Amino acid sequence: PKPERAAEINLELGVEHLRKGNLQQAKEKIDRSLEQNPRYGRAHLVAGMLYNRLGDQRKAESHYERAISLEPKNPEFKNNYAVYLCQQKKYDKGQKIALEAAADPLYKTPEVAYLNAGNCALNADNLKGAEENLRKALAVKPKFGEALFQMAELEYRQTEYMSARAFLERYLEVGRTSPAT
């Protein structure tokens, strides 16, 4: 097959190995995909995820940034990079990139990007920013269980017990009961 198609096939295999936790095989297939097509944005995105799991943050960030540079308008890439940045405690940059993804009118799941921006703000102890972004997620998708649960926790943390209860009740209509709930 052509190098582009071979790169896609190797990436699919790499993703499957990554899902199963076979990191060595995943790395081999992802590296092969990048050799076959160094300008394949999705391969760089997945390589970023792989290197994050391997604990090599320098390489992970480099691959995420390369993916974004190859496909600067891809909101999925931005949202994944935002999650990574927030995990690395780069909260301001992560929140900014998640909000860029959410603002893209072609993004199929902007509520997820708003949730990620909210979680990023929450991890930075920015309760106001967290609430603002979680409410945006719920404005897009009112029955978004994860955002409802996060809002319940946020309200509880701020001693807004009645509001927390209301969010928890809304969550229990759509989400699963767990020890945390």
Side-chain angles (χ1 to χ4, degrees):
K2 293 190 165 103
E4 290 83 9
R5 183 65 188 131
E8 288 172 17
I9 292 167
N10 274 308
L11 183 63
E12 286 172 29
L13 293 169
V15 166
E16 200 49 43
H17 285 301
L18 193 57
R19 266 195 206 108
K20 292 177 179 173
N22 303 332
L23 300 183
Q24 182 59 46
Q25 293 95 325
K27 184 180 181 318
E28 288 170 15
K29 293 297 178 185
I30 294 164
D31 286 348
R32 184 92 175 107
S33 174
L34 287 167
E35 284 169 23
Q36 291 163 326
N37 185 359
R39 298 193 46 77
Y40 187 17
R42 183 162 298 284
H44 282 285
L45 180 75
V46 174
M49 294 173 187
L50 169 71
Y51 282 105
N52 184 31
R53 293 232 343 235
L54 292 172
D56 188 338
Q57 301 315 324
R58 190 185 56 75
K59 276 190 177 176
E61 190 152 353
S62 167
H63 280 291
Y64 277 115
E65 288 173 351
R66 181 76 174 130
I68 301 264
S69 74
L70 289 168
E71 294 190 39
K73 296 200 182 305
N74 189 321
E76 180 191 343
F77 288 15
K78 286 181 180 180
N79 192 34
N80 277 285
Y81 184 40
V83 169
Y84 168 79
L85 289 168
C86 293
Q87 290 171 345
Q88 301 306 308
K89 297 181 174 30
K90 297 178 180 181
Y91 301 122
D92 291 340
K93 187 175 179 183
Q95 193 174 344
K96 177 182 174 282
I97 291 174
L99 291 173
E100 284 175 19
D104 187 320
L106 299 176
Y107 193 27
K108 291 182 180 109
T109 56
E111 70 276 6
V112 174
Y114 283 126
L115 172 72
N116 291 334
N119 285 334
C120 209
L122 191 59
N123 289 332
D125 269 339
N126 174 0
L127 302 185
K128 186 174 181 276
E131 181 173 348
E132 187 179 303
N133 291 315
L134 291 171
R135 288 187 184 277
K136 286 179 183 175
L138 291 168
V140 173
K141 187 176 177 185
K143 293 186 179 208
F144 186 22
E146 186 64 29
L148 289 167
F149 185 67
Q150 293 291 348
M151 275 302 297
E153 282 196 324
L154 183 62
E155 294 293 83
Y156 185 82
R157 229 172 112 174
Q158 298 178 90
T159 67
E160 297 290 338
Y161 300 123
M162 291 306 288
S163 178
R165 181 179 175 169
F167 279 109
L168 188 57
E169 286 173 356
R170 284 175 60 194
Y171 167 80
L172 291 172
E173 290 174 16
V174 296
R176 257 200 211 122
T177 306
S178 69
T181 60

